[in-house]
Amino acid sequence: MKALVTRLDSFGDVLLAGPAVRAVAARASHLTLLCGPHGEPAARLLPGVDEVLVWESPWTGFQPPEVSRAATESLIAAVDADTALVLTSFHQSPLPTALLLRLAGVGFIAADSEDYPGSLLDVRHHRAPHAHEAEAALDLAEAAGFPRPDDTRLRVLPPPPAEPLTGPGGYVVVHPGASVPARAWSPGRCAQTVRELTAAGRRVVVTGGAGERELTAYVAGGRAVDLGGRTGAAELAGVLAAADCVVTGNTGPAHLAAAVGTPVVSLFSPVVPAERWRPYGVPYVLLGDQQAPCAGTRARQCPVPGHPCLEEVTAHDVVAAVDKLAEVPR
């Protein structure tokens, strides 16, 4: 059986699909993961994936492309599968993807759908209320005939060693950036946390993408190892795997930390629900006012002046959470 799993969203979304991907891979002779360009680095880290097919969909992402007949026909021609699992977030419809897969000749398609699917789905599944995204994907896979793997935690392929980047000795990672501004703690709070962690005797490593070098340099402040722009996905996985714990917002590195088994201090803005997006399968401490007025808005920019849901969290709160998680046996 040639199987295809689709998750067209971001880096973290693809990581959360990992347990369901392994469930499908266990029954398939070949598994293709169809993802968007932002999810591709994560897709290439997932165990069980034989091929990665990248396509930028016009119905996902923050800056979706215009609809293109040529791009759509290219995708249809590239799909080679007889079975497909369409993974989406709780607020998304799988039906546009299912239509293209039908046109590509996929005979069996399963998805969570509240909308009437007509002939587009063979398994129309209804996700459990309040289910975590990783659990919802596993439930769908099981409904489609793919039993849960024995290990349902997030996983990635073994990463490279971190010491050439971090130097010797234990450390805490602070990852200040986020692709969605409403989910990020302020740079000032992050920098203060680095100061307080180092004053308490902890070594700190600050991570960030290529476009976040100014941010990571400011947060590191000459007190921490600054790895801004110096890690790809695999290297970042190695850095997170060797950390005592990771301090970050609700963003891809939180899920990557979970995938390598590292505890997470989660600075969680409630613009999306924590029950669906919290760190999965690892010890974590959730900080941030989950009842703030922005809760459930899915806002990209905080709609409340002063960003109180996260700005009321102090560096002292984070240091206390780090102290708690760093003692948890790995």
Side-chain angles (χ1 to χ4, degrees):
M1 173 182 60
K2 291 183 177 180
L4 181 142
V5 176
T6 76
R7 183 72 209 219
L8 293 172
D9 299 284
S10 68
F11 184 93
D13 299 316
V14 172
L15 290 174
L16 290 173
V21 167
R22 297 200 308 274
V24 176
R27 294 289 183 93
S29 59
H30 185 276
L31 186 138
T32 299
L33 181 57
L34 171 61
C35 64
H38 293 293
E40 180 183 4
R44 299 196 182 280
L45 296 180
L46 293 184
V49 175
D50 297 301
E51 178 184 1
V52 175
L53 184 59
V54 181
W55 184 67
E56 190 169 16
S57 134
W59 55 83
T60 55
F62 301 125
Q63 294 180 312
E66 296 293 327
V67 175
S68 163
R69 178 187 293 270
T72 302
E73 291 177 346
S74 176
L75 172 67
I76 291 170
V79 169
D80 181 16
D82 45 65
T83 295
L85 204 67
V86 181
L87 302 180
T88 56
S89 295
F90 71 98
H91 60 277
Q92 295 173 327
S93 171
L95 299 185
T97 304
L99 174 61
L100 297 188
L101 296 180
R102 278 286 192 244
L103 292 173
V106 179
F108 178 90
I109 303 174
D112 288 324
S113 183
E114 297 305 314
D115 299 319
Y116 173 63
S119 60
L120 296 180
L121 299 180
D122 300 282
V123 172
R124 178 195 184 188
H125 185 254
H126 298 278
R127 69 166 59 200
H130 315 297
H132 193 282
E133 292 293 306
E135 286 290 333
L138 282 166
D139 289 345
L140 173 60
E142 195 163 33
F146 302 100
R148 289 175 174 240
D150 293 336
D151 178 5
T152 61
R153 290 175 292 180
L154 308 187
R155 294 289 187 195
V156 292
L157 298 171
E163 191 167 312
L165 288 168
T166 64
Y171 55 87
V172 172
V173 167
V174 173
H175 186 92
S179 59
V180 176
R183 301 181 194 176
W185 207 25
S186 70
R189 288 282 198 229
C190 292
Q192 185 181 5
T193 296
V194 169
R195 290 195 296 270
E196 294 200 13
L197 285 169
T198 54
R202 293 196 182 276
R203 203 161 69 92
V204 179
V205 172
V206 180
T207 57
E212 297 173 324
R213 289 188 177 96
E214 287 187 12
L215 172 64
T216 60
Y218 171 76
V219 170
R223 298 174 176 84
V225 177
D226 179 9
L227 294 183
R230 296 175 57 194
T231 56
E235 292 79 14
L236 180 59
V239 170
L240 300 180
D244 297 326
C245 71
V246 176
V247 178
T248 187
N250 174 29
T251 190
H255 303 304
L256 187 57
V260 295
T262 300
V264 179
V265 177
S266 178
L267 292 147
F268 202 102
S269 167
V271 291
V272 296
E275 64 185 0
R276 293 188 171 108
W277 299 100
R278 60 169 174 77
Y280 182 75
V282 293
Y284 68 96
V285 173
L286 198 73
L287 299 176
D289 180 6
Q290 299 306 296
Q291 306 305 317
C294 64
T297 62
R298 299 205 299 272
R300 294 200 66 216
Q301 300 287 341
C302 180
V304 183
H307 203 18
C309 67
L310 291 184
E311 285 308 289
E312 291 179 0
V313 178
T314 68
H316 178 75
D317 296 329
V318 173
V319 171
V322 168
D323 289 343
K324 177 180 179 180
L325 290 178
E327 302 305 319
V328 175
R330 296 285 291 274

